[in-house]
Amino acid sequence: MDLQQLTQLDQAHVWHPYSAIDSSLPVYPVASAEGVRLKLLDGRELIDGMSSWWCAIHGYNHPEMNRALITQLSDMAHVMFGGLTHRPAVALAARLVELTPDALQTVFFSDSGSVSIEVAMKMAIQYWHAKGKANKQQFLTLRQGYHGDTFAAMSVCDPITGMHALFSQALAQQFFADSPRCRFANSCSDEDIASLEQQLMIQHNTIAAVILEPIVQATGGMHFYSAEYLQRARVLCDQYEVLLIHDEIATGFGRTGELFACEHARVTPDIMCVGKALTGGYLTLAATLTTLTVSETISQGEPGIFMHGPTFMANPLACTAGLTSLRLLTESPWQKNVLRIEQGLKKGLQPCQHLTGVIDVRVLGAIGVVELTTPVDMNKIQPRFVEAGVWVRPFGRLVYLMPPYIISDTDLQSLTAAVVAVVDSICS
Ligand SMILES: *Cc1c(COP(=O)(O)O)cnc(C)c1O
């Protein structure tokens, strides 16, 4: 298949994320990827600024990841998880329990972030059911949040900006509190938390859990908010007898400068979802972790089992990728790397602050955001990034970077310089 055939067949038959079929927007065929570089089929090389949507934290084609997967493949690619178990799953679960806050002791594996959210929501409902409070089946969440594309996950995305407004009649009705206005590194006033508190006060009898993205509201706007907000949310959940679900799917595994974003606030949720960078971007895998209080209550209540079990649960290859990725992460100076990237992003993106059409430039850990006044024209901006030799995929009014942790200072400078130049060229 040559490049032209591939492009034609792709346009004719293949649906890409959030896209139209037969769209005029270009998609770029990738032949291979190595380190922080995507190698296009036409020979061009792009410096990766996206980590393939938060995932590829060690870069691409990592020799140790590859070796571990080949070894696992020669043992088995997959076996069902009902009634069977295996070392990769058990070792990965044990490692996740070690690395996450102490109270989280039980791990449920699933195939994607969205499904791990569905699982978390089902856990919360089953927990209250087991405790004789079967009317607690709704959820309270934050505006400008994003938790995935499946139905229960969609129901707790921002109802307007969350890309799912057209499904509103088909979705479970949930409760929404205002998006936190208190920014990261600032305190959180009574007023800042009032909306969440009010909803809990009025609705707690029907609410199973509060679900939120700790510290970073990612896809819903890339906002970084106060750690104190998280602490106060934890206190309110306890006060009103509501579980707390943290969605660490984007923030987990070091991206914000702490291994998990909840550590900025030293808060432990009752349920935590991880995904994305869990396998270092190799295979699809997510996990929902919970406390013994939740897992034992569910197991001792009616019907005595947790009602979920995906076909590909705890796929051995994916678990091996997870285990190896966690080893690479924890054995690497990742904190130093994330800090170095944070400094590089701050310095490199700073010139954007003065460009017309830019409202805000913000950086937290290895996340850099340039917020514009108007949504970007993807038809115009995407080819310019590719011409500049970088892979940056803006979203709405946001041009953002979250490079692999292994990126060199030189590549990081090229990446930020390209953002400055391209934003300047489209806004002026
Ligand atoms: C990406 C994401 C999800 C959904 O994960 P998928 O693997 O795409 O299903 C959920 N929550 C957050 C915070 C995410 O960033």
Side-chain angles (χ1 to χ4, degrees):
M1 198 188 297
D2 64 22
L3 184 55
Q4 195 189 352
Q5 272 177 317
L6 188 150
T7 305
Q8 273 170 1
L9 287 171
D10 186 285
Q11 276 207 338
H13 303 298
V14 184
W15 231 321
H16 286 264
Y18 285 96
S19 70
I21 200 69
D22 206 11
S23 128
S24 60
L25 284 175
V27 290
Y28 299 89
V30 181
S32 65
E34 173 127 18
V36 297
R37 282 183 166 66
L38 305 178
K39 299 179 184 181
L40 300 187
L41 213 53
D42 64 14
R44 288 184 288 183
E45 286 195 10
L46 308 179
I47 300 171
D48 175 35
M50 304 304 293
S51 298
S52 284
W53 280 335
W54 312 87
C55 297
I57 53 178
H58 313 298
Y60 302 88
N61 218 343
H62 194 288
E64 285 186 56
M65 291 287 295
N66 293 4
R67 212 174 307 128
L69 282 166
I70 290 165
T71 306
Q72 179 55 43
L73 189 58
S74 63
D75 288 338
M76 60 186 163
H78 184 65
V79 291
M80 63 186 280
F81 209 51
L84 298 174
T85 193
H86 45 78
R87 202 183 333 204
V90 176
L92 178 58
R95 193 72 184 118
L96 284 171
V97 166
E98 262 170 22
L99 293 174
T100 53
D102 291 343
L104 300 171
Q105 291 289 319
T106 311
V107 182
F108 190 101
F109 289 113
S110 58
D111 321 333
S112 73
S114 300
V115 174
S116 77
I117 295 289
E118 304 274 330
V119 166
M121 293 170 78
K122 286 174 75 171
M123 275 181 189
I125 290 174
Q126 257 197 263
Y127 171 79
W128 291 114
H129 185 271
K131 287 185 67 95
K133 297 192 174 177
N135 51 338
K136 282 165 88 73
Q137 300 225 349
Q138 284 179 290
F139 293 85
L140 171 58
T141 187
L142 306 179
R143 290 186 191 280
Q144 297 187 26
Y146 174 81
H147 299 286
D149 287 354
T150 55
F151 270 76
M154 279 200 290
S155 77
V156 288
C157 291
D158 187 287
I160 297 147
T161 65
M163 310 184 277
H164 307 129
L166 82 105
F167 299 101
S168 61
Q169 298 300 310
L171 295 178
Q173 294 304 297
Q174 315 291 12
F175 300 107
F176 292 87
D178 293 342
S179 178
R181 272 178 300 244
C182 39
R183 289 290 160 238
F184 187 76
N186 293 333
S187 60
C188 168
S189 68
D190 291 349
E191 199 190 323
D192 291 324
I193 200 86
S195 173
L196 190 80
E197 183 162 18
Q198 193 130 40
Q199 298 273 359
L200 280 170
M201 201 156 56
I202 302 167
Q203 307 291 353
H204 63 96
N205 282 329
T206 62
I207 293 174
V210 165
I211 176 168
L212 51 78
E213 297 157 278
I215 304 294
V216 180
Q217 290 197 289
T219 309
M222 304 293 279
H223 297 294
F224 311 144
Y225 67 89
S226 165
E228 202 186 328
Y229 185 98
L230 272 190
Q231 291 165 346
R232 299 189 69 159
R234 174 73 271 185
V235 172
L236 288 171
C237 285
D238 291 340
Q239 187 185 333
Y240 287 103
E241 294 206 305
V242 160
L243 294 178
L244 177 60
I245 303 170
H246 278 184
D247 177 349
E248 293 256 11
I249 294 166
T251 51
F253 309 107
R255 184 56 67 178
T256 68
E258 298 284 353
L259 197 55
F260 297 99
C262 63
E263 292 172 32
H264 288 285
R266 297 182 212 298
V267 159
T268 301
D270 300 291
I271 302 174
M272 179 196 269
C273 297
V274 294
K276 288 200 163 110
L278 172 59
T279 63
Y282 264 65
L283 285 154
T284 178
L285 183 72
T288 308
L289 286 88
T290 193
T291 62
L292 282 181
T293 309
V294 171
S295 60
E296 287 180 351
T297 302
I298 290 171
S299 305
Q300 287 155 13
E302 267 300 307
I305 52 170
F306 180 53
M307 306 299 268
H308 205 90
T311 306
F312 280 94
M313 187 169 182
N315 172 262
L317 283 171
C319 288
T320 298
L323 204 52
T324 311
S325 174
L326 283 182
R327 186 171 58 72
L328 289 175
L329 183 68
T330 53
E331 285 177 1
S332 74
W334 65 268
Q335 256 159 327
K336 242 172 72 187
N337 268 334
V338 170
L339 194 65
R340 176 180 62 81
I341 295 169
E342 181 172 68
Q343 286 159 353
L345 288 171
K346 279 184 178 160
K347 188 158 165 260
L349 295 177
Q350 197 262 339
C352 287
Q353 215 122 35
H354 311 292
L355 300 178
T356 41
V358 173
I359 329 178
D360 191 31
V361 178
R362 50 185 180 269
V363 173
L364 176 65
I367 312 168
V369 182
V370 179
E371 182 172 349
L372 310 176
T373 47
T374 51
V376 297
D377 176 352
M378 287 296 275
N379 246 323
K380 205 163 131 190
I381 198 168
Q382 191 72 88
R384 291 204 191 175
F385 278 123
V386 172
E387 281 153 29
V390 299
W391 182 243
V392 179
R393 179 102 177 137
F395 176 77
R397 295 187 296 108
L398 302 168
V399 177
Y400 58 101
L401 297 175
M402 53 238 189
Y405 301 166
I406 57 153
I407 193 167
S408 70
D409 288 334
T410 322
D411 283 344
L412 186 58
Q413 274 168 24
S414 308
L415 206 49
T416 54
V419 169
V420 175
V422 171
V423 168
D424 189 26
S425 79
I426 56 154
C427 289
S428 56

